[in-house]
Amino acid sequence: MQKLYEGKAKAVYTTSEEGVLVQRFKDSATAFNAEKKAEFGGKGELNNRIAGIVFRYLADRGIPSHYIETPNTRDMRIRAVEIIQIEVVARNIVAGSLSKRTGLDEGVRLSAPIVEFYYKDDDLGDPMITDDHIRILNLATEDELATLRRMALEINEHLIELWKKCGLDLVDFKLEFGRVDGKILLADEISPDTQRLWDADGNRMDKDVFRRDLADLVETYSRVHAQLIAAYPEYDFGTLPEAPAER
Ligand code: UDP
C-alpha cells in the first residue's frame, strides 16, 4: 500500500481495490495550526471507533459519506473522493473563534445554527471565506455550495440528537466533503477532534482539553466513547482486530 497523504491526525493509503482507500487514525494531536503538538497512546483507536459509529449513525439517517467499514482498531476503509477545499463549520453555541471574532461570551446559545466556510489551506491558517469567494474562485459550484449548507444543517440536527442521548451538548463542529461520480459525500472524520461537546456541568469533552490544558485527552475521549456505546450499543464495534503495524 502506498501512502497518499499524511496529515496531523490521520494518514491515507491506497488499497488493491479500485476507488477504495484506508485512512489510519494516528495517536498525535495538534492545536493552533500545529504550533502545539503531542502524542496520546490510544487516541487513534478511540477516534476511529467514534468516527465509525457516527458515520454509521448518519448513514442510517440518510447522510451519505465516504465510510465503508472499520476493519481494525486504527483503520477505516473509505471511498476515494476528490476533497472539496472548504471546511464547513456549524455552530449552536458560541465558542472558540466565534467568541474571539464577535466578543460574545462562550456558552451563549445561538437562536439558529450558524454555518461558516473556511478555505482549507494550512499555510494560510484556514481563513474564513464567504459564498462569493467559493463561487467566484471556483472552490465549489452554486449547487454544491447549497448542498454543503443543507447537509451541514441536516447533519447538525442528527448530531444534536446523537449527543443529547449521551448527555452531551453539541457546541460546534467541522465537516469536510468530497466529490465522487457527480455526488457529494461527507468525508474526513467526525470525532472529539473536530467537534466541541460539553457535558451537563460544562466540562469540555473534546480537543479543547488539550488546547487549553484542562484534562487528560485520552481519558476524556474514552468517556465520550463509553457514553456513545452505552447510548447506542447497536453501533458498538466490540472487539476489533489489532491494526497491522505497517501499511
Ligand atoms: N475545527 C476543526 N479543524 C479546524 C478548525 C476547527 O476540526 O481546522 C473544529 C473545532 O474543533 C470546533 C469547530 O471546528 O469544533 C469550530 O472551531 P473554531 O472556528 O471555533 O476554531 P478554534 O477555536 O478551534 O480555533
Side-chain angles (χ1 to χ4, degrees):
M1 280 189 219
Q2 187 194 337
K3 195 191 283 181
L4 275 186
Y5 160 87
E6 179 149 10
K8 290 165 271 185
K10 294 187 298 295
V12 177
Y13 297 85
T14 58
T15 69
S16 53
E17 234 179 301
E18 169 102 21
V20 176
L21 302 175
V22 163
Q23 66 178 357
R24 169 161 288 204
F25 287 75
K26 306 197 312 183
D27 281 341
S28 45
T30 63
F32 312 117
N33 210 13
E35 272 168 44
K36 183 170 178 176
K37 217 181 263 177
E39 287 295 308
F40 295 97
K43 171 180 180 278
E45 175 170 355
L46 285 164
N47 275 359
N48 189 30
R49 286 176 178 271
I50 293 169
I53 293 172
V54 173
F55 279 136
R56 287 184 298 147
Y57 174 92
L58 291 174
D60 288 346
R61 284 150 187 84
I63 304 289
S65 80
H66 69 165
Y67 179 83
I68 300 173
E69 63 165 354
T70 304
N72 61 53
T73 52
R74 263 178 200 285
D75 295 333
M76 180 183 284
R77 273 161 50 83
I78 56 173
R79 289 186 65 186
V81 299
E82 179 200 351
I83 290 286
I84 297 175
Q85 296 304 312
I86 300 171
E87 298 195 345
V88 183
V89 168
R91 304 177 180 275
N92 300 301
I93 296 174
V94 175
S97 72
L98 180 62
S99 170
K100 288 204 192 83
R101 191 173 294 115
T102 60
L104 289 167
D105 286 337
E106 285 213 320
V108 172
R109 200 169 277 275
L110 299 164
S111 58
I114 289 177
V115 177
E116 299 170 344
F117 301 105
Y118 294 84
Y119 181 40
K120 195 172 141 57
D121 186 317
D122 282 338
D123 292 340
L124 298 176
D126 299 339
M128 190 188 234
I129 50 175
T130 68
D131 292 29
D132 274 354
H133 295 118
I134 292 172
R135 277 187 277 108
I136 295 167
L137 303 179
N138 293 318
L139 297 175
T141 65
E142 183 101 42
D143 277 0
E144 287 176 335
L145 182 56
T147 302
L148 298 189
R149 186 185 294 281
R150 177 181 50 74
M151 284 181 75
L153 290 170
E154 274 176 32
I155 292 165
N156 184 44
E157 292 307 315
H158 293 309
L159 293 181
I160 288 174
E161 277 304 305
L162 170 80
W163 294 118
K164 195 154 105 190
K165 206 168 158 194
C166 304
L168 298 171
D169 237 348
L170 177 65
V171 173
D172 56 31
F173 58 96
K174 184 264 300 180
L175 302 174
E176 295 184 27
F177 294 89
R179 306 178 177 99
V180 64
D181 302 336
K183 270 192 66 173
I184 297 218
L185 301 183
L186 173 63
D188 193 52
E189 69 177 296
I190 299 182
S191 72
D193 275 5
T194 64
Q195 303 169 94
R196 285 195 170 94
L197 302 167
W198 292 355
D199 76 8
D201 300 321
N203 293 312
R204 272 50 173 175
M205 302 297 289
D206 53 59
K207 204 165 86 175
D208 273 350
V209 298
F210 167 65
R211 292 189 188 98
R212 303 178 188 187
D213 298 314
L214 298 173
D216 184 79
L217 180 139
V218 173
E219 217 169 274
T220 303
Y221 286 24
S222 298
R223 277 176 51 200
V224 171
H225 178 252
Q227 278 159 270
L228 201 49
I229 59 176
Y232 298 94
E234 66 275 29
Y235 290 109
D236 184 9
F237 290 106
T239 310
L240 283 170
E242 275 303 310
E246 285 295 321
R247 288 223 70 97

